[in-house]
Amino acid sequence: MPALGPARAGRDPRPRGLRRFVAPPPPREERCELCAVPLAGERHRHLVDTEKRALACACGPCAQLLDGSGGAGGRFRAVPGRYLSDPGHGIDEQAWEHLRIPVGVAFFFRNSALDRLVALYPSPAGATESELDPASWQTVLAGSPLAGLLEPDVEALLLRRHEGTVECFLVPVDICYELVGRMRLRWQGFDGGAEARADLDAFFAHVRDRARDVRGSGS
């Protein structure tokens, strides 16, 4: 059996025999879900696939096309990029308790297919839906005008209970699922662990930096 080592000039470098089962698979090339153009690893926009209830990747031109047309009548809707904050909201710790969510973060968005608000929170298993009566959510969400500004399917109301206060933001829905993935990857033990908490702090610091105050932004 020949020794394993660098491929020699003129020989096929692809794994052969049993080696092909242990070699790492080639990275999957990301493509736009509309026009199939390669995205080449660049940071790109996302679409909501309203039929599959999933996020899809989009190149810049396709995302702009959906932005310009509104995208409301088709299968795909472009996720917008606005971030809004509401420092003067009326959601306090007592209101948060009504949600009965076992972690300190939750996000809400309106699902147009179901024609109702959906409440989710990060967990070690991924995005977990709250089974609380929607009427209870509405009581809490009435504390901020951000809930009334949400674009169905593509924007979410993001809440965080932390150190005796509740933060409230309107954000693109894709970053909520990004947060879910990050928490699932780093979660350790019962409370998530130090690494997950540090990542959560960094995530919300980024959101705060990007968000504009809804009460003074004219949005």
Side-chain angles (χ1 to χ4, degrees):
M1 178 181 293
L4 299 179
R8 297 178 181 176
R11 298 182 62 181
D12 187 348
R14 291 175 296 180
R16 294 182 177 276
L18 294 177
R19 290 174 60 197
R20 71 181 185 272
F21 295 110
V22 297
R28 178 178 174 271
E29 184 180 43
E30 287 190 305
R31 291 179 175 270
C32 175
E33 301 280 351
L34 292 184
C35 69
V37 65
L39 296 173
E42 65 187 54
R43 187 166 182 84
H44 51 267
R45 297 277 301 277
H46 288 108
L47 312 171
V48 171
D49 184 334
T50 58
E51 291 183 6
K52 294 183 177 180
R53 307 307 312 164
L55 288 171
C57 299
C59 65
C62 285
Q64 288 180 355
L65 179 64
L66 285 178
D67 277 346
S69 65
R75 170 179 170 182
F76 294 100
R77 297 196 63 199
V79 177
R82 69 172 175 170
Y83 290 70
L84 299 175
S85 65
D86 183 14
H89 67 79
I91 307 171
D92 57 17
E93 285 204 299
Q94 183 177 1
W96 179 272
E97 292 292 344
H98 292 157
L99 294 175
R100 299 179 186 174
I101 289 175
V103 296
V105 177
F107 61 97
F108 305 77
F109 69 93
R110 180 160 293 281
N111 184 314
S112 60
L114 300 176
D115 193 27
R116 66 173 175 86
L117 204 67
V118 174
L120 301 166
Y121 58 89
S123 78
T128 301
E129 184 170 357
S130 169
E131 298 181 355
L132 187 64
D133 180 359
S136 299
W137 307 338
Q138 295 294 351
T139 300
V140 173
L141 299 180
S144 173
L146 292 179
L149 298 176
L150 290 175
E151 291 290 332
D153 301 309
V154 294
E155 291 184 322
L157 192 70
L158 177 65
L159 303 178
R160 185 191 188 191
R161 180 189 189 182
H162 182 59
E163 296 182 346
T165 63
V166 178
E167 294 182 283
C168 182
F169 302 96
L170 182 151
V171 298
V173 74
D174 56 355
I175 74 156
C176 296
Y177 286 102
E178 175 189 335
L179 175 62
V180 167
R182 288 164 64 166
M183 292 296 99
R184 185 177 185 182
L185 179 66
R186 292 170 173 79
W187 195 286
Q188 293 182 346
F190 178 76
D191 63 353
E195 185 179 0
R197 290 194 296 272
D199 198 24
L200 187 64
D201 288 341
F203 176 87
F204 273 91
H206 173 72
V207 171
R208 285 186 216 104
D209 287 343
R210 297 200 60 177
R212 295 176 292 112
D213 188 339
V214 67
R215 298 176 190 264
S217 67
S219 296

